[in-house]
Amino acid sequence: MAGTPSVQQLMQAESEAQSIVEGARQEKSRLLKEARSDAAAEVERFRMEKEAEYERQLSLEMESNQSSGEKLRQDTEHELFQIEGQSRRNQGNVVEMLLGTVVRVEYD
């Protein structure tokens, strides 16, 4: 009978060890789930931050393109106005030059 309490003690110790191991497994599982959740939240935060940064950059580029387009339009209108003015001023000279060339006959 002396062996029986020792066996019971061993069985109780084994049972306690299994409980400790099971508790550690559960804690490990909980920590892994928490780490995954934290990592997913960090990834989502980072993605949202980068998306917002991209949207801001895109908006700035669009504004820049619009202002560049507006400046190009204004410059083009200014140049056209200058060309039209030059053509009106030179119209008489061009007509005279054409008529002079057409009417003048040179004999060789």
Side-chain angles (χ1 to χ4, degrees):
M1 287 268 164
T4 304
S6 297
V7 170
Q8 286 179 348
Q9 252 184 339
L10 285 173
M11 289 178 70
Q12 184 178 359
E14 184 180 349
S15 175
E16 286 176 14
Q18 285 178 346
S19 293
I20 291 171
V21 168
E22 182 60 31
R25 283 185 183 144
Q26 288 177 354
E27 180 66 11
K28 179 182 174 184
S29 176
R30 185 189 67 75
L31 288 174
L32 283 173
K33 286 179 183 176
E34 185 178 318
R36 282 187 193 118
S37 176
D38 290 348
E42 181 68 18
V43 166
E44 182 62 20
R45 184 197 62 76
F46 182 77
R47 184 187 66 76
M48 290 177 71
E49 180 181 306
K50 290 300 177 183
E51 261 185 27
E53 183 180 319
Y54 172 76
E55 291 295 328
R56 280 191 303 274
Q57 187 65 28
L58 189 61
S59 175
L60 288 174
E61 287 179 15
M62 288 178 69
E63 288 174 8
S64 174
N65 287 344
Q66 286 175 347
S67 64
S68 295
E70 180 63 23
K71 178 158 177 29
L72 179 63
R73 186 187 64 73
Q74 289 174 352
D75 290 347
T76 303
E77 285 179 4
H78 180 70
E79 287 180 31
L80 286 174
F81 180 75
Q82 287 180 336
I83 291 171
E84 288 172 355
Q86 289 173 352
S87 68
R88 278 192 300 274
R89 283 191 302 272
N90 294 327
Q91 183 177 7
N93 294 338
V94 171
V95 170
E96 285 179 29
M97 182 184 72
L98 287 173
L99 287 175
T101 304
V102 170
V103 172
R104 184 177 20 167
V105 177
E106 292 183 17
Y107 296 105
D108 288 332

